[in-house]
Amino acid sequence: GLSRVRTFSLLGALLLVSACATSGPVTSEAPAPNALRLLVVRHGEAYSNVPHPADMPWEQLDSLTTKGITQATAAGAFLKKHPVVAVFVSPTGRTRQTGTIIAQQIGLPGVTAEEAAFAGMKEGKTPEGQAASWSWRLAQWKAGRDARPVGGESLEDAATRAIRAVERLAAQHSGKAVVVVTHSDVSAALIGHAAGTPMVQRPDKHTVPTASVSEIIVSSDGVWKLAKQGELPGS
């Protein structure tokens, strides 16, 4: 009857769609030869990340703990398997220390360069005149706002400069791998950009552990793809 004809017609259409799908080109998971392999490393554990005396000087707060040194060493050993040509760090003691250890581990001493675009968000003040703390920012993001503190930066501000810097690296190091040692906020911003996550959700979804490695593929036509998030070497 008519219903049987319709059934056969539907089956035929499905088979045709299936044949077209299976006969088309297969997309490889391997990055294109001219893509940048961006390895984002959050710096190793610093004294600023753990309970510390209130009078501890900033120079010590901005340096790695014994655990942080061990973490950075493990990250460097893990990164040996990648064809890394350069290590870029934000201008802080804890990122420089982490980047130097990583570069030594992978056999690239002296190829560590500072890049201001990978610095953490500029702090600034809340409308009430207080320092824009991480807890204040978390509350803003939870409320759906990516607030820009007075004299400071929003996460989008930090993401924009970091993304531009990565795009420059993609043009300069086409087909290579580079390491970027940065902070939790910028790591989350970059990972979230690759994953297509809305800005206010990035700190919640993409904050990674200290000394973890996240892998992002940036194609020559500017397409970002998140390959791995927050892999912990040696764990």
Side-chain angles (χ1 to χ4, degrees):
L2 184 58
S3 60
R4 181 175 296 180
V5 171
R6 286 176 177 168
T7 302
F8 284 133
S9 298
L10 179 59
L11 286 172
L14 290 172
L15 288 171
L16 179 60
V17 170
S18 176
C20 291
T22 55
S23 62
V26 177
T27 303
S28 173
E29 289 299 318
N34 56 352
L36 174 74
R37 191 183 294 270
L38 178 69
L39 301 159
V40 180
V41 179
R42 183 182 173 188
H43 63 78
E45 182 187 84
Y47 286 98
S48 58
N49 299 128
V50 297
H52 54 267
D55 60 350
M56 181 176 283
W58 173 246
E59 291 75 13
Q60 187 172 357
L61 285 170
D62 192 27
S63 63
L64 299 183
T65 63
T66 301
K67 178 181 177 180
I69 292 171
T70 300
Q71 289 178 327
T73 303
F78 171 79
L79 288 164
K80 283 182 182 179
K81 67 182 182 181
H82 294 285
V84 176
V85 295
V87 178
F88 297 89
V89 303
S90 80
T92 65
R94 56 197 185 278
T95 50
R96 281 194 295 268
Q97 199 174 353
T98 302
T100 298
I101 292 170
I102 289 173
Q104 290 171 343
Q105 285 290 307
I106 62 180
L108 286 175
V111 194
T112 304
E114 285 191 14
E115 174 52 71
F118 298 129
M121 288 180 293
K122 187 177 179 183
E123 187 176 76
K125 301 281 188 180
T126 69
E128 295 73 33
Q130 303 298 317
S133 66
W134 187 251
S135 58
W136 178 82
R137 288 185 184 273
L138 285 174
Q140 296 296 309
W141 290 321
K142 187 174 181 180
R145 298 184 295 269
D146 182 30
R148 179 183 294 114
V150 179
E153 291 181 306
S154 65
L155 185 59
E156 184 172 5
D157 293 332
T160 298
R161 57 173 162 79
I163 289 165
R164 287 175 180 168
V166 168
E167 289 171 348
R168 290 196 298 271
L169 295 180
Q172 295 165 4
H173 300 285
S174 174
K176 302 293 194 307
V178 299
V179 172
V180 166
V181 183
T182 184
H183 307 268
S184 61
D185 51 357
V186 174
S187 295
L190 292 173
I191 295 167
H193 181 68
T197 304
M199 193 66 65
V200 295
Q201 296 176 18
R202 293 182 192 183
D204 181 51
K205 290 189 174 183
H206 304 301
T207 295
V208 294
T210 52
S212 62
V213 179
S214 300
E215 184 178 344
I216 296 170
I217 305 300
V218 183
S219 69
S220 58
D221 54 358
V223 176
W224 290 47
K225 176 184 176 183
L226 178 61
K228 292 180 183 177
Q229 173 176 314
E231 190 166 0
L232 273 173
S235 63

